[in-house]
C-alpha cells in the first residue's frame, strides 16, 4: 500500500497541467509542431492574423511564436524555405554569435535530432523602467528537413523560467513534423 501511494504521488508530480500539450499546433508553410496549453500568439500574429515573413540572406523565412506571459518566456520557429543544407545558416549564425558583444556565454552541443543546438546567455543590461539587471537566456535547435531548415528558439528572462521550461521545450521540438 505504501508503495502504491508513492507511485500515485510520483505520477501526480510528473503530470502537471502546464506540461500538457494543447490540441493547438504551430504551423508554417512546411511544418507543424505541438505547443503548450496556455501559450498565446505574439501580438503581430494576433493583429495581422498570419505568420510573419521576411528575407534572411538568400532564404525566404517564415516566423511564428507562442508566448507564456506569466513566466516571461517564448518559443519561436524560423522556417528557412528551400534550405536543403542548413550548415550554411548554422555557420553564419555561429559567426554572428561569436562576433556579437551581447553574449556572455555561447555553448554549442550535439543531440540526436538536430544538426546542432546552442545555448546563449546575454550580458546583463539594466531594464529601462525598473533599473534592474536582466539577461536573456536562449536555446536554439537547428533541425534539417528534406526541403527546409527549422530553427526552434526558446527564450526566457530569468534562470528559474529557463530551468523549468528548457527540457520541456526540447520535447516540443521533437514533435516538429516537416511536410513535403
Amino acid at each position: 500500500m505504501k508503495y502504491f501511494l508513492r507511485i500515485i504521488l510520483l505520477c501526480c508530480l510528473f503530470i502537471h497541467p502546464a506540461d500538457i500539450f494543447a490540441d493547438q499546433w504551430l504551423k508554417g508553410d512546411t511544418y507543424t509542431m505541438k505547443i503548450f496549453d496556455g501559450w498565446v500568439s505574439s501580438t503581430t500574429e494576433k493583429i495581422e492574423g498570419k505568420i510573419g515573413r521576411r528575407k534572411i540572406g538568400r532564404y525566404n523565412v517564415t516566423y511564428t511564436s507562442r508566448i507564456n506571459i506569466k513566466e516571461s518566456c517564448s518559443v519561436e520557429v524560423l522556417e528557412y524555405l528551400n534550405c536543403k543544407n542548413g550548415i550554411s545558416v548554422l555557420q553564419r549564425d555561429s559567426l554572428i554569435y561569436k562576433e556579437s558583444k551581447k553574449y556572455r556565454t555561447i555553448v554549442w552541443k550535439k543531440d540526436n535530432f538536430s544538426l546542432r543546438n546552442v545555448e546563449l546567455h546575454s550580458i546583463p543590461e539594466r531594464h529601462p523602467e525598473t533599473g534592474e539587471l536582466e539577461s536573456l537566456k536562449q536555446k536554439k535547435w537547428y533541425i534539417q528537413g528534406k526541403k527546409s531548415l527549422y530553427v526552434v528558439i526558446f527564450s526566457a528572462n530569468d534562470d528559474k523560467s529557463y530551468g523549468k521550461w528548457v527540457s520541456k521545450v526540447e520535447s516540443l521540438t521533437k514533435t516538429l513534423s516537416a511536410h513535403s
Side-chain angles (χ1 to χ4, degrees), residues 11-23:
C11 288
C12 290
L13 289 173
F14 288 117
I15 300 172
H16 184 274
D19 301 345
I20 297 172
F21 295 130
D23 291 333

Side-chain angles (χ1 to χ4, degrees), residues 4-178:
F4 181 71
L5 291 173
R6 285 183 184 172
I7 290 171
I8 291 174
L9 180 61
L10 282 173
C11 288
C12 290
L13 289 173
F14 288 117
I15 300 172
H16 184 274
D19 301 345
I20 297 172
F21 295 130
D23 291 333
Q24 301 172 27
W25 293 77
L26 285 175
K27 294 179 184 178
D29 288 354
T30 65
Y31 77 93
T32 55
M33 185 177 87
K34 287 186 177 185
I35 193 64
F36 295 114
D37 194 22
W39 290 48
V40 297
S41 302
S42 68
T43 305
T44 305
E45 285 180 62
K46 286 180 186 175
I47 292 170
E48 294 180 7
K50 58 185 177 181
I51 61 177
R53 296 186 182 278
R54 60 182 173 210
K55 189 110 171 147
I56 299 177
R58 65 178 193 239
Y59 297 107
N60 291 319
V61 178
T62 67
Y63 166 89
T64 188
S65 66
R66 294 297 179 267
I67 301 165
N68 180 331
I69 295 170
K70 284 203 287 190
E71 303 212 31
S72 296
C73 53
S74 66
V75 173
E76 306 160 59
V77 180
L78 297 175
E79 172 186 27
Y80 287 77
L81 299 168
N82 299 314
C83 178
K84 295 178 182 175
N85 183 2
I87 297 298
S88 62
V89 173
L90 190 62
Q91 289 172 337
R92 188 205 66 223
D93 286 358
S94 178
L95 287 174
I96 289 169
Y97 303 147
K98 190 175 181 179
E99 292 174 0
S100 173
K101 303 289 186 224
K102 80 179 209 180
Y103 299 112
R104 180 184 67 205
T105 309
I106 303 168
V107 180
W108 287 95
K109 296 180 182 177
K110 279 195 150 276
D111 55 38
N112 294 332
F113 65 93
S114 68
L115 291 172
R116 297 287 295 272
N117 65 66
V118 62
E119 288 189 46
L120 304 167
H121 300 247
S122 70
I123 293 172
E125 294 180 352
R126 295 222 178 267
H127 188 280
E129 294 171 3
T130 65
E132 293 180 25
L133 284 176
E134 290 184 341
S135 65
L136 182 68
K137 294 187 177 227
Q138 289 185 323
K139 185 160 185 179
K140 298 183 181 188
W141 294 266
Y142 293 79
I143 302 167
Q144 182 64 60
K146 287 182 182 177
K147 294 186 178 182
S148 298
L149 173 73
Y150 309 96
V151 181
V152 180
I153 305 165
F154 169 64
S155 304
N157 285 340
D158 61 53
D159 291 339
K160 184 179 175 187
S161 292
Y162 185 83
K164 177 180 177 181
W165 287 100
V166 70
S167 63
K168 296 172 189 175
V169 172
E170 183 169 323
S171 69
L172 281 182
T173 63
K174 294 175 184 177
T175 69
L176 188 138
S177 174

